[in-house]
Amino acid sequence: MAQGLPLTYLEAGEANGGTPLLVLHGLFGSARNWQTLAKRFAERHRVYALDLRNHGGAPWSDEMTYPAMAADVLRFLDDRGFARASVVGHSMGGKVAMTLALNHPDRVERLAVADIAPVAYTHTHAPFVAAMKQAKLEGFTRRSEVEAQLVDAVPEAPLRSFLLQNLVLEQGAFHWRINLDAIGARMSDLIGFPDLGDAQYNGPTLFIGGTRSDYIVPENHAVIRRHFPKAAIEMIEGAGHWLHAERPQEFAALVEAFA
């Protein structure tokens, strides 16, 4: 892997020892989305919720591949002298976590993957990127004025609210704190998964899916277990793709029992 970028992060449970727990957000997310769950996990762990490249406060880069993002997480561990970490990743963050575990299994003590599998999907978020890029920001100072421009492309209010967490008002002007150009250009990489051959991670692994989501389906189980032989697969009833936000208690209980 190439030298990674230095990532920004939120830390909780600083007084706890032992193996740190890293939390990796999904596409369009940030460490802040995981702040409440990170505090809960911090009752037992030293927790770092990371901003992945081109998101949150992390550096921007035109490169947006999973090996590159996994290299960023590896640098985070190296810079802090952590030999190993347990890793929880959702969606895009789950693919980053899986790539890290498969390329550097000695650095991952336990792996929890939320509603994603090591496969390529046909789901594309390109329309969301296009809508955000096309939204006129100049001259507006109310979030509702920007939100109104996203309604056609993003009719679901909760999803619009999630995307708008990336809208920042500074010095009287709005801007996106997410690298929409890089994300749009590398969408095929983001919905895909790198070809890592027969690589395996033989550590404890938990996949958590939502029954209302189609990201972890029975057809994915074989490839999951080919790369992660010790994987357990748990489904949260009634949860969609953002299962950690929709069913936080059930999700947290599964992670805590595992980690």
Side-chain angles (χ1 to χ4, degrees):
M1 288 187 181
Q3 177 67 33
L5 299 176
L7 301 179
T8 50
Y9 60 93
L10 297 176
E11 184 177 3
E14 296 89 338
N16 294 328
T19 303
L21 177 67
L22 307 186
V23 178
L24 310 182
H25 63 79
L27 186 63
F28 304 119
S30 71
R32 292 193 307 178
N33 303 140
W34 286 81
Q35 194 164 17
T36 299
L37 281 172
K39 288 180 179 178
R40 175 165 170 170
F41 297 152
E43 293 174 7
R44 296 170 49 194
H45 301 276
R46 186 174 187 178
V47 181
Y48 296 90
L50 309 184
D51 285 326
L52 298 175
R53 64 169 59 192
N54 295 320
H55 290 74
W60 285 16
S61 170
D62 291 337
E63 188 173 8
M64 194 69 184
T65 65
Y66 286 113
M69 288 187 279
D72 298 342
V73 180
L74 187 64
R75 174 174 176 170
F76 180 87
L77 294 176
D78 288 343
D79 285 351
R80 283 150 192 82
F82 293 138
R84 295 162 67 82
S86 295
V87 187
V88 177
H90 171 247
S91 196
M92 179 188 77
K95 286 190 170 181
V96 175
M98 288 187 282
T99 302
L100 176 67
L102 291 170
N103 281 331
H104 293 275
D106 58 314
R107 305 301 298 274
V108 178
E109 185 164 299
R110 307 177 79 84
L111 174 68
V113 179
D115 211 55
I116 204 75
V119 301
Y121 291 91
T122 57
H123 309 78
T124 178
H125 301 293
F128 302 156
V129 174
M132 294 165 77
K133 289 179 66 173
Q134 292 166 9
K136 184 178 183 296
L137 305 183
E138 186 178 354
F140 293 127
T141 57
R142 290 186 297 174
R143 301 178 73 84
S144 60
E145 296 171 317
V146 179
E147 180 176 8
Q149 301 177 63
L150 303 180
V151 170
D152 288 344
V154 193
E156 302 89 351
L159 180 54
R160 284 200 309 276
S161 178
F162 172 67
L163 295 176
L164 285 165
Q165 291 182 32
N166 293 293
L167 186 66
V168 179
L169 183 65
E170 291 181 337
Q171 298 179 340
F174 277 126
H175 67 90
W176 297 108
R177 62 170 184 153
I178 189 171
N179 189 345
L180 294 169
D181 288 338
I183 291 169
R186 302 311 292 263
M187 186 60 69
S188 60
D189 290 297
L190 294 173
I191 65 175
F193 191 73
D195 182 0
L196 300 178
D198 296 325
Q200 287 189 331
Y201 171 71
N202 286 289
T205 308
L206 173 65
F207 282 77
I208 307 172
T211 61
R212 290 194 303 102
S213 171
D214 57 358
Y215 279 82
I216 296 181
V217 292
E219 303 92 271
N220 300 148
H221 290 191
V223 68
I224 286 173
R225 294 204 163 95
R226 184 164 73 244
H227 288 297
F228 304 95
K230 295 183 179 178
I233 302 173
E234 300 280 355
M235 304 299 290
I236 298 179
E237 188 65 36
H241 184 54
W242 281 272
L243 66 179
H244 60 291
E246 298 170 19
R247 298 286 191 276
Q249 298 302 323
E250 294 95 324
F251 178 81
L254 286 170
V255 172
E256 288 170 336
F258 173 74

